[in-house]
Amino acid sequence: MQSDAGSKPLRVLLFSTLFPHEGEPTLGVFVQNRLEHLIRDTGIEVTVVAPVPWFPFKAKIFGRYGRAACAAKISDEKRYTVYHPRYLVIPKIGMRVTPFFLFWCATNQVKRLSQKGNQFDVIDAHYLYPDGVAAAKLARKNNLPFVMTARGSDVTQIAQISSPKKSILWASSLASHIITVSLSLKQRLVSMGVPESSISSLRNGVDTERFKPVIGAKIKVCSETGLAESKPIVLFAGWLIPRKRVDIVIDALANLTEVQGVIVGDGELKSELTALVRHHGIEDRVVLVGQKKPEEMATYMSAADIFCLPSEREGWANVMLEAMACGTPVVSRAVDGALELITDQRVGRLVEGSDPEDYSYAVSDILATGMDRHFIREYSKNFGWKATSLAQLDIFQTAVANHKEKRRQRSAP
């Protein structure tokens, strides 16, 4: 935890476009969770620079750009400050040039912080593209080491596109180290040509104090949604976007006439999914309740009999682990981090592919088996944060030490 001064805590600049703000309180909450546990477990000092797209209007009609406009330029948390500088987004060609605009706005923000006396030892960047690529440029300009964390679709989707892939490989060659949230992501990066020795797989953890069984949860949720307390509930929570495949959840529920469904979240497919519920004629037992605040999720997870996540890709879906901490069994597509999380039939089921009937069967099987919710919660406690926090600290310290040694060697006569 030592900085250059030898006695001060390590000074970390966390850089990512994935971080909660007033307009999107759940955006990148997994980044925030890891950060807060890192601070709690190690005592490091952190400043967050979380750029948001520049947009002049805050109205809901403008979607995520309107929500981004709601972000305060500066917000103070208990143990760190978050800065939300604005960066330019250009439609259609945005993917190619966004790293530059992120770098530009971050450079100006870091310059202002430096003028106020803020200094940093290492940059902690989340999401390889465009964030990690911008962080590589920022680190080079400020002569700092940087560490990148790969979180899922940055590797499984974006890195499959030629131009971003080249940029990711360039940034990887400059990074002091790369963290992945699952072994499968590490393996994908290695297959792309990133040296295995430069990658560590550090899974996310779960806060079992924040996520725990809530007494009376089902009564509360059924009262709010109009669902029946006597029938089981299948819960989905996440963005209503194509790769989450929420349509599979709805189609599966259409096959399960005695099972109810709650869909928590918002996104571009909300209207389409609402129409799908109407198409099946199951409006009386499947409800879309919109986005919920993070502090409300333990209640919804406790109310559910099963949590279902059929996403096509998930680096490490913390939402499943949070459901488990509430004692709720899970049904997930057999991809990426889910393969590392659901390793015991007593906590859930893995499903290959996207056939709704297979998900219907998995749900029915769990309901017929009668899962031990206490066992599931105890299982979730094996995924605490401290080991991950200490491993991060070691990576950061090594990055700083190696960077100092390289500087010393360059300055030696």
Side-chain angles (χ1 to χ4, degrees):
M1 284 183 285
Q2 302 303 309
S3 68
D4 290 352
S7 59
K8 295 181 180 179
L10 198 70
R11 301 164 298 186
V12 176
L13 171 66
L14 188 150
F15 177 75
S16 181
T17 56
L18 299 174
F19 209 83
H21 57 73
E22 293 86 338
E24 296 204 69
T26 63
L27 175 68
V29 69
F30 41 83
V31 175
Q32 183 184 48
N33 288 341
R34 195 177 89 169
L35 168 64
E36 293 184 347
H37 283 278
L38 177 63
I39 295 173
R40 184 186 309 170
D41 293 334
T42 68
I44 66 169
E45 293 181 357
V46 179
T47 298
V48 177
V49 174
V52 297
W54 177 86
F55 197 74
F57 309 113
K58 298 181 180 180
K60 291 183 179 180
I61 192 175
F62 297 110
R64 73 181 186 93
Y65 293 109
R67 294 192 293 271
C70 295
K73 291 185 177 180
I74 304 174
S75 62
D76 288 311
E77 303 296 330
K78 290 182 180 179
R79 299 187 65 178
Y80 57 92
T81 301
V82 182
Y83 297 87
H84 290 295
R86 269 52 178 175
Y87 68 96
L88 185 62
V89 174
I90 302 178
K92 295 185 179 181
I93 66 168
M95 174 174 279
R96 187 180 295 272
V97 299
T98 294
F100 170 78
F101 289 127
L102 282 176
F103 163 66
W104 182 79
C105 81
T107 295
N108 290 335
Q109 183 65 67
V110 170
K111 182 178 179 181
R112 289 192 292 270
L113 291 172
S114 179
Q115 291 171 343
K116 294 179 180 179
N118 292 274
Q119 300 297 321
F120 305 105
D121 299 308
V122 62
I123 297 174
D124 174 25
H126 293 252
Y127 212 68
L128 301 188
Y129 191 96
D131 310 51
V133 175
K137 298 175 183 292
L138 184 67
R140 187 170 60 175
K141 180 174 180 61
N142 290 276
N143 195 18
L144 290 171
F146 77 103
V147 174
M148 300 192 297
T149 294
R151 292 198 157 273
S153 57
D154 48 350
V155 176
T156 61
Q157 185 178 13
I158 296 175
Q160 307 311 307
I161 303 171
S162 177
S163 179
K165 179 180 180 179
K166 290 179 182 178
S167 296
I168 288 172
L169 290 174
W170 171 78
S172 298
S173 70
L174 298 178
S176 298
H177 206 72
I178 300 168
I179 297 171
T180 64
V181 295
S182 70
L183 284 171
S184 64
L185 291 178
K186 177 179 179 178
Q187 292 162 357
R188 286 174 184 260
L189 284 175
V190 171
S191 70
M192 288 170 52
V194 180
E196 186 172 3
S197 60
S198 68
I199 310 171
S200 294
S201 177
L202 300 180
R203 57 161 178 76
N204 288 334
V206 64
D207 187 339
T208 54
E209 286 303 307
R210 183 176 184 180
F211 290 93
K212 57 186 177 183
V214 176
I215 297 174
K218 191 163 189 178
I219 295 173
K220 185 177 189 300
V221 169
C222 287
S223 175
E224 291 178 355
T225 61
L227 297 179
E229 295 176 31
S230 60
K231 294 183 178 181
I233 292 175
V234 171
L235 173 70
F236 167 87
W239 291 107
L240 308 185
I241 55 178
R243 69 179 175 85
K244 294 292 185 178
R245 293 308 306 271
V246 190
D247 60 301
I248 293 175
V249 180
I250 295 172
D251 288 342
L253 286 167
N255 297 329
L256 300 166
T257 58
E258 295 301 312
V259 179
Q260 305 172 117
V262 175
I263 310 296
V264 175
D266 202 355
E268 62 188 82
L269 297 183
K270 186 175 182 179
S271 297
E272 183 178 316
L273 294 170
T274 301
L276 182 60
V277 171
R278 286 198 302 267
H279 170 75
H280 285 302
I282 53 177
E283 303 98 314
D284 60 328
R285 58 186 180 89
V286 177
V287 293
L288 284 79
V289 297
Q291 196 173 56
K292 296 295 177 181
K293 296 178 181 178
E295 55 268 27
E296 297 178 276
M297 287 311 302
T299 297
Y300 276 84
M301 289 171 173
S302 298
D305 295 88
I306 296 171
F307 182 86
C308 185
L309 189 69
S311 302
E312 293 174 347
R313 303 177 302 276
E314 288 287 354
W316 181 272
N318 238 44
V319 67
M320 287 199 297
L321 194 50
E322 291 162 356
M324 288 181 181
C326 295
T328 305
V330 300
V331 171
S332 171
R333 188 187 296 243
V335 293
D336 304 317
L339 298 170
E340 299 169 46
L341 180 57
I342 307 174
T343 59
D344 191 317
Q345 287 278 298
R346 291 174 290 178
V347 301
R349 299 287 187 272
L350 291 170
V351 179
E352 297 283 353
S354 56
D355 188 337
E357 289 190 6
D358 292 334
Y359 288 86
S360 299
Y361 177 81
V363 169
S364 297
D365 187 35
I366 288 177
L367 294 176
T369 301
M371 307 290 250
D372 183 343
R373 295 182 72 102
H374 176 72
F375 175 84
I376 295 170
R377 173 164 170 77
E378 291 303 307
Y379 179 90
S380 76
K381 292 181 180 179
N382 295 317
F383 298 86
W385 275 106
K386 191 158 189 178
T388 295
S389 295
L390 295 179
Q392 284 180 85
L393 177 62
D394 182 63
I395 288 170
F396 290 159
Q397 289 176 324
T398 300
V400 172
N402 289 344
H403 187 71
K404 286 173 61 179
E405 177 61 21
K406 289 178 181 179
R407 289 173 60 183
R408 187 191 68 77
Q409 291 177 358
R410 285 196 297 266
S411 62

